[in-house]
């Protein structure tokens, strides 16, 4: 480990300017200041490979890689070169460009179960497009989402069913209902409660746990039996589990699948692939009511198209998914060894799949402990490791693991000292504890939650779920 990071003056000055100019101080809620310890980089100046530098000049080993949007590394030369070449030929045309056709055909060859493709600029574009198609195809209103998966879209059909639903008509959320992962009975109950009314099931094929007892196969069969559309959201899983998506590893194929985030190594691009009879409702060759699917000015911008094609080709050439699994296996094993060595394995844990692990800090009963999470990550940041979530890339290797293990050791020793001392955990870090994205209010409001405010003096009591 190098010297501890102590200089954050410029970051803090810019944080005030961010809040004056931008609601929430960030254009992505998960990157906001309420998601990180107060002693964190507030503004990033540049990034390269597996590292980033803040405006104070501090260097961090970056495991978060944006909002999981990088799979090869920051500013990866081959992707930048493909984008620069595309720019020189023009970035947006009056009619469809050749890259649109070539990429669509490439994606359909990669996903042979699918017959048509449609492009967007971010994940919400294509998940909402999939839901719209499902409603049009089935003539049904209800959307069943996996309640164990935190986010599917910025649009009203999903946000209206979260605690952060201000500004959305109440009736919007009524048509979004929830089931539990690995609980096929919870899906059956939804179909019983809303017979002939559920248009689709949408979920991440995998998140933090293996599908048990043929859950995905049973979900596929149940959707078919009930005439509902099965949608797999591969925003996070794909590329890490397999270039074709996590569902491919389980040989369970949906009616529609959505991809984004890392498919273009950080450039803005997403895509929807699916069966022709459903997708064509957004086209011209049918006699049913037309679906205004996706008609975006910038969906065919050549930058995103070129970045996606180059990223997928590079990931295939390098077998990046294999690398991610191998590095992740070593990270998870090393993390657990250090936790046992420091005696904090019951409070500082790593869960999920080796290719997509997640760090959680918990109380003795296993429930999430925001104060301990904040204290632990404050120490990691001080040691130059930024790991609020884990997005393993081609640029993470031996040196990065070594630096991370050193920082993890420091963080776990802090936790051990803190727990042994019996001191209040909320006094062990600067500022407030991190908070869930999906919460109704920014601060506790008397009478809205029914809990004693002394139970969580530094947290928003009025929250229901996290992102």
């Amino acid at each position: 480990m190098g010297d501890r990071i102590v200089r954050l003056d410029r970051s803090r000055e810019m944080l005030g300017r961010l809040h004056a100019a931008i609601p929430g101080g960030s254009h992505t809620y998960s990157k906001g200041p309420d998601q990180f310890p107060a002693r964190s980089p507030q503004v990033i100046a540049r990034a390269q490979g597996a590292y980033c530098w803040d405006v104070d000049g501090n260097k961090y080993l970056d495991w978060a890689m944006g909002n999981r949007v990088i799979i090869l590394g920051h500013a990866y030369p081959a992707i930048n070169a493909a984008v620069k070449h595309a720019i020189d030929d023009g970035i947006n045309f009056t009619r469809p460009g050749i890259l649109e056709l070539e990429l669509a055909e490439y994606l359909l060859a990669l996903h042979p179960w699918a017959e048509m493709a449609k492009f967007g600029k971010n994940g919400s574009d294509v998940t909402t497009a999939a839901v719209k198609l499902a409603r049009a195809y089935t003539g049904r209103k209800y959307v069943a989402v996996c309640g164990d998966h935190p986010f599917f879209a910025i649009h009203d059909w999903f946000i209206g069913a979260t605690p952060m639903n201000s500004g959305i008509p109440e009736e919007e959320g009524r048509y979004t209902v929830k089931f539990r992962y690995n609980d096929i009975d919870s899906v059956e109950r939804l179909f019983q409660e809303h017979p002939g009314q559920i248009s689709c099931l949408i979920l991440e094929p995998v998140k933090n746990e293996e599908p048990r007892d043929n859950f995905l196969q049973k979900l596929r069969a149940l959707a078919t039996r009930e005439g509902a559309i099965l949608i797999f959201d591969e925003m996070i899983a794909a590329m890490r589990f397999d270039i074709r998506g996590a569902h491919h590893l389980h040989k369970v194929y949906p009616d529609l699948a959505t991809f984004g985030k890392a498919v273009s190594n950080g450039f803005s691009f997403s895509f929807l692939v699916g069966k022709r009879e459903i997708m064509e409702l957004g086209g011209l060759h049918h006699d049913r009511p037309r679906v205004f699917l996706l008609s975006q000015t910038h969906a065919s911008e050549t930058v995103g198209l070129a970045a996606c094609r180059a990223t997928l080709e590079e990931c295939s050439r390098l077998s990046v998914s294999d690398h991610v699994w191998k590095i992740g296996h070593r990270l998870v094993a090393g993390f657990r060894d250090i936790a046992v060595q420091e005696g904090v394995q019951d409070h500082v844990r790593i869960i999920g799949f080796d290719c997509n692990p997640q760090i959680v800090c918990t109380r003795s009963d296993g429930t999430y402990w925001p104060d301990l999470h904040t204290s632990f990550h404050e120490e990691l940041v001080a040691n130059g490791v930024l790991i609020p979530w884990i997005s393993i890339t081609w640029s993470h290797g031996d040196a990065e693991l070594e630096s991370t293990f050193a920082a993890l050791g420091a963080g776990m020793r802090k936790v051990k000292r803190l727990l042994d001392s019996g001191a209040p955990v909320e006094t062990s870090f600067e500022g407030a504890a991190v908070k869930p994205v999906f919460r109704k209010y920014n601060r506790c409001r008397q009478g809205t939650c029914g809990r004693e405010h002394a139970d969580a003096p530094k947290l928003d009591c009025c929250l229901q779920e996290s992102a």
Side-chain angles (χ1 to χ4, degrees):
M1 287 187 297
D3 295 334
R4 288 177 64 83
I5 291 174
V6 296
R7 296 178 293 110
L8 293 168
D9 296 343
R10 195 168 181 218
S11 271
R12 288 175 166 175
E13 182 269 330
M14 286 190 174
L15 180 60
R17 291 164 55 190
L18 279 170
H19 279 284
I22 303 165
S26 171
H27 291 290
T28 308
Y29 280 119
S30 60
K31 299 179 183 180
D34 57 347
Q35 303 300 294
F36 294 83
R39 291 199 59 79
S40 293
Q42 303 297 339
V43 182
I44 302 298
R46 63 186 180 92
Q48 181 74 47
Y51 297 87
C52 63
W53 289 259
D54 67 13
V55 292
D56 289 285
N58 300 308
K59 179 182 179 181
Y60 301 89
L61 170 53
D62 186 6
W63 286 97
M65 307 304 281
N67 196 8
R68 302 180 190 270
V69 299
I70 306 294
I71 189 67
L72 294 165
H74 290 295
Y76 192 81
I79 310 308
N80 285 359
V83 167
K84 291 171 185 176
H85 178 76
I87 288 172
D88 288 340
D89 286 337
I91 62 171
N92 216 322
F93 310 128
T94 306
R95 296 299 307 279
I98 185 64
L99 289 181
E100 292 180 64
L101 173 60
E102 292 176 345
L103 180 57
E105 291 178 338
Y106 178 89
L107 293 173
L108 295 177
L110 191 64
H111 301 278
W113 64 268
E115 297 162 305
M116 300 188 85
K118 189 72 172 176
F119 301 156
K121 298 303 286 182
N122 58 64
S124 294
D125 293 343
V126 289
T127 52
T128 293
V131 166
K132 190 186 299 185
L133 282 173
R135 283 172 158 169
Y137 184 80
T138 63
R140 303 170 180 177
K141 294 181 180 179
Y142 282 86
V143 176
V145 305
C146 182
D148 300 297
H149 301 164
F151 184 75
F152 290 101
I154 63 170
H155 301 110
D156 291 0
W157 69 268
F158 177 70
I159 299 298
T162 74
M164 200 173 171
N165 58 2
S166 181
I168 299 173
E170 182 181 352
E171 57 269 23
E172 286 283 351
R174 294 176 183 171
Y175 295 109
T176 298
V177 293
K178 298 180 180 181
F179 61 91
R180 302 302 304 273
Y181 194 78
N182 274 332
D183 184 354
I184 200 67
D185 290 341
S186 70
V187 189
E188 288 273 15
R189 283 194 296 272
L190 288 182
F191 283 114
Q192 292 168 5
E193 293 167 3
H194 308 282
Q197 299 179 73
I198 294 178
S199 65
C200 60
L201 307 172
I202 182 169
L203 71 156
E204 298 179 54
V206 293
K207 186 67 174 178
N208 290 323
E209 57 182 314
E210 288 276 5
R212 297 191 302 270
D213 192 26
N214 292 317
F215 175 71
L216 294 179
Q217 288 82 355
K218 290 178 179 178
L219 202 66
R220 171 69 277 179
L222 186 54
T224 301
R225 187 193 81 190
E226 296 291 337
I229 303 302
L230 180 61
I231 305 169
F232 282 156
D233 178 347
E234 289 273 9
M235 298 298 160
I236 293 174
M239 316 289 286
R240 310 190 188 289
F241 285 79
D242 185 274
I243 193 171
R244 292 152 295 192
H247 69 271
H248 179 79
L249 296 180
H250 295 278
K251 307 302 181 188
V252 178
Y253 298 98
D255 300 300
L256 301 169
T258 60
F259 296 77
K261 290 192 183 291
V263 295
S264 49
N265 201 53
F267 287 92
S268 180
F269 186 76
S270 60
F271 65 87
L272 163 67
V273 291
K275 295 180 178 178
R276 184 180 305 278
E277 60 183 325
I278 305 170
M279 297 283 288
E280 184 58 57
L281 293 180
L284 301 175
H285 300 287
H286 65 91
D287 296 322
R288 295 183 62 175
R290 296 181 66 194
V291 173
F292 196 91
L293 186 54
L294 281 168
S295 181
Q296 297 173 298
T297 300
H298 296 292
S300 58
E301 180 186 54
T302 61
V303 168
L305 304 177
C308 180
R309 178 67 179 267
T311 299
L312 292 172
E313 289 181 338
E314 189 75 350
C315 284
S316 179
R317 183 181 73 85
L318 298 171
S319 298
V320 167
S321 296
D322 291 342
H323 173 80
V324 169
W325 277 100
K326 290 174 183 176
I327 292 296
H329 177 75
R330 293 170 59 191
L331 175 63
V332 169
F335 183 105
R336 289 175 177 161
D337 286 345
I338 298 168
V340 171
Q341 178 182 324
E342 301 299 340
V344 296
Q345 67 271 21
D346 293 334
H347 296 282
V348 184
R349 301 186 293 129
I350 192 164
I351 63 173
F353 296 84
D354 286 352
C355 69
N356 188 40
Q358 179 182 347
I359 296 172
V360 291
C361 295
T362 64
R363 300 179 177 87
S364 298
D365 62 3
T367 58
Y368 174 58
W369 197 350
D371 294 290
L372 192 65
H373 173 100
T374 308
S375 186
F376 176 64
H377 281 274
E378 181 186 72
E379 185 66 17
L380 297 187
V381 170
N383 284 279
V385 174
L386 194 59
I387 192 169
W389 49 87
I390 301 173
S391 184
I392 304 164
T393 75
W394 179 254
S395 296
H396 291 97
D398 293 344
E400 287 70 35
L401 285 173
E402 182 179 348
S403 297
T404 302
F405 292 148
L408 288 170
M412 292 182 193
R413 286 190 290 275
K414 176 185 179 182
V415 169
K416 179 65 172 174
R417 291 193 301 269
L418 178 62
L419 296 177
D420 287 348
S421 72
V425 176
E426 63 267 23
T427 65
S428 66
F429 54 89
E430 185 177 312
V434 299
K435 300 179 180 181
V437 168
F438 291 119
R439 60 187 193 275
K440 193 168 185 65
Y441 298 101
N442 287 320
R443 301 178 182 86
C444 293
R445 289 167 57 89
Q446 184 67 38
T448 59
C449 62
R451 290 174 54 193
E452 292 294 328
H453 287 235
D455 289 348
K458 300 187 73 171
L459 294 175
D460 182 343
C461 295
C462 310
L463 55 88
Q464 297 177 43
E465 51 188 90
S466 61

